[in-house]
Amino acid sequence: MAADAESLPEEGLALWLTEQKVNPRVPWLGRRMVATVGGSVAGQLNFFLHPDGQAVKVSMLRVHPDFQRRGLAGVMMDALYAAYSTAWINHGWRTKDGAQWWNGYREPAPHRNVHNRPPAEWAKYFDAVDVASDRAHNAHQNNHYGLDGHRGAVYRYGERLETEAALHVAAFRPAAPRHVDLGSQPLHGAARLSLPPAVHEYVHDRTQDSRARATALLEHLGHGNLPRRAYWNTTRQAAFADAHREHLFDRQPSGPPLTHVVFTLAPLQYLLPSTAQVRATSVEFEHPGDVAVDVTELAWRQADRPHLTHQASFASAVAAAIAPVSARQASASYRARYDDEGFLRAAARNSTRPFADRAAQIQAMAERLLGGRTARARTTQPPPAPPQTAVPHPPAPGQRPPGPGRRA
């Protein structure tokens, strides 16, 4: 850890390890570590993880100017070593600031740094020539700025490495890309909603039926406004993480509390591969038109109370759609089902579905339910005591008069 790490206040500091969406052609898994202090993003560490979990390539380490020189970068790097305790670590090449930071950092496991070990040990994970090039670049940075850069730990520091590296290039084994199987894998996508106050209170009221509250959320969206530009993940937790990341990096002005909603879709049996970018653990729809989907479950939570998650499964999948980019690109079947605002047309509504009206009617019903609960709470209160007409006797000498919390 960096020498000045003790200057970083521990109160309010949190580290969060989450997924980073990368190009579908990249076979390694994208990961991101986010450091927050007092709820604000203070730094992040981006890296790639080999599919077998035994090799890590650092791509970016950055600390917000307000939190620099306080040991935060060292805390994140230490956490990376701890999270992947047996993996090779490739730090790549460093900028000027990176070289100066590295000069003061004390890595917890130098023997797992590929720059410190011969290529024969790690060449199946990394191209030996690329690693040699990065080492040469870092050596030049250190010499130029008068830094030691842990010279004694680096393998054969300062020697010509291209000849040795070329001997191990053949050992490199590229990982094969993995992709989601859309025909068998449910998908989960998140949206951040600012609900009307009454609707917000109703859908977060655990005393009400969870399926009815989930249906109210779907109706509020019109069944045709499921997330358009969102990533659809193979796990619900990854979808919630997407919403949380947007919440952190796209700070909203103060206002009503936001609700993070995750929609679970049934496997997409008939989706053409050309309409989506399919990654190892997520899918991004690229087709500008609408996409017909079936919603099987809903989960939601308040942005500031992630520990309280609501969830409901539907008895049968609810036909819905991911809205088109514009009305001009909507299919004929979508226009027949949804109006210009994305709500179900009257002919498409199911009369047995609760809350099958529009947003204003949803809010009105929620207000009635909440108002009835308040009225019942008033009627259950005990009646007030009759007025006291007797004249109390004066207290005896040495006796304190009765007061709040005391009995006479």
Side-chain angles (χ1 to χ4, degrees):
M1 185 180 296
D4 59 348
E6 58 269 16
S7 64
L8 186 69
E10 294 183 3
E11 184 177 359
L13 170 64
L15 295 180
W16 176 46
L17 181 60
T18 184
E19 183 182 359
Q20 177 189 0
K21 303 300 191 295
V22 298
N23 190 298
R25 294 186 294 272
V26 176
W28 288 38
L29 306 176
R31 293 290 183 266
R32 174 184 287 121
M33 185 180 299
V34 180
T36 61
V37 176
S40 299
V41 176
Q44 57 179 313
L45 171 62
N46 294 351
F47 59 96
F48 294 95
L49 177 67
H50 191 275
D52 70 4
Q54 295 304 304
V56 169
K57 173 65 184 295
V58 176
S59 60
M60 191 271 290
L61 174 62
R62 182 169 58 195
V63 176
H64 190 279
D66 292 346
F67 299 95
Q68 290 178 357
R69 302 184 184 281
R70 300 169 69 181
L72 184 57
V75 170
M76 290 189 290
M77 191 61 72
D78 285 355
L80 177 68
Y81 274 85
Y84 305 99
S85 58
T86 61
W88 288 106
I89 309 292
N90 183 357
H91 293 276
W93 60 274
R94 303 185 186 96
T95 62
K96 173 186 175 182
D97 291 340
Q100 292 174 335
W101 170 78
W102 181 262
N103 192 60
Y105 175 66
R106 298 295 180 266
E107 58 179 328
H111 61 281
R112 292 197 282 121
N113 184 341
V114 299
H115 289 198
N116 299 341
R117 303 300 301 171
E121 299 181 8
W122 45 259
K124 75 173 184 178
Y125 291 112
F126 304 102
D127 187 300
V129 173
D130 288 345
V131 174
S133 174
D134 292 341
R135 265 194 302 198
H137 172 88
N138 294 338
H140 173 74
Q141 291 281 70
N142 293 334
N143 291 333
H144 183 74
Y145 296 109
L147 305 173
D148 176 79
H150 310 298
R151 179 189 182 100
V154 178
Y155 177 66
R156 298 181 66 175
Y157 191 96
E159 297 183 18
R160 295 178 61 85
L161 301 175
E162 59 270 23
T163 302
E164 181 188 35
L167 297 175
H168 299 279
V169 168
F172 178 59
R173 297 290 181 267
R178 297 188 300 169
H179 299 99
V180 174
D181 182 2
L182 297 178
S184 62
Q185 175 67 63
L187 297 178
H188 311 266
R192 293 182 300 155
L193 304 180
S194 179
L195 300 170
V199 178
H200 176 91
E201 187 171 355
Y202 170 65
V203 300
H204 291 284
D205 183 357
R206 290 182 173 274
T207 65
Q208 305 294 337
D209 179 71
S210 60
R211 190 175 298 174
R213 291 183 286 142
T215 306
L217 279 171
L218 271 184
E219 293 294 344
H220 181 77
L221 289 170
H223 282 278
N225 292 320
L226 271 62
R228 175 69 217 180
R229 300 304 304 168
Y231 291 99
W232 292 82
N233 301 272
T234 55
T235 66
R236 180 181 291 110
Q237 186 56 40
F240 273 126
D242 283 349
H244 181 62
R245 182 175 63 251
E246 291 180 10
H247 192 79
L248 282 176
F249 287 90
D250 183 21
R251 301 291 294 182
Q252 297 291 327
S254 59
L258 291 180
T259 297
H260 295 172
V261 182
V262 171
F263 310 87
T264 298
L265 307 183
L268 305 175
Q269 300 284 348
Y270 307 107
L271 184 69
L272 296 176
S274 59
T275 63
Q277 280 201 8
V278 183
R279 295 171 169 79
T281 59
S282 63
V283 176
E284 182 182 14
F285 293 113
E286 290 188 320
H287 189 267
D290 53 275
V291 180
V293 296
D294 291 326
V295 180
T296 60
E297 295 181 16
L298 236 63
W300 63 100
R301 59 176 63 160
Q302 288 185 224
D304 57 348
R305 303 178 71 185
H307 55 289
L308 296 177
T309 301
H310 309 259
Q311 182 178 343
S313 300
F314 298 107
S316 58
V318 177
I322 297 175
V325 173
S326 68
R328 293 178 298 177
Q329 293 168 314
S331 66
S333 59
Y334 181 89
R335 289 193 296 269
R337 184 174 171 82
Y338 300 102
D339 61 20
D340 293 340
E341 297 178 356
F343 286 93
L344 283 171
R345 296 186 185 276
R349 292 180 192 156
N350 184 346
S351 59
T352 63
R353 181 185 293 123
F355 299 100
D357 293 306
R358 302 188 180 226
Q361 292 167 311
I362 295 171
Q363 181 168 351
M365 177 171 287
E367 289 173 346
R368 289 199 304 272
L369 289 169
L370 295 172
R373 187 180 64 176
T374 303
R376 290 193 300 272
R378 292 197 190 100
T379 59
T380 57
Q381 293 179 356
Q388 179 66 260
T389 57
V391 179
H393 297 285
Q399 178 185 359
R400 299 181 63 184
R406 297 195 186 96
R407 294 181 180 178

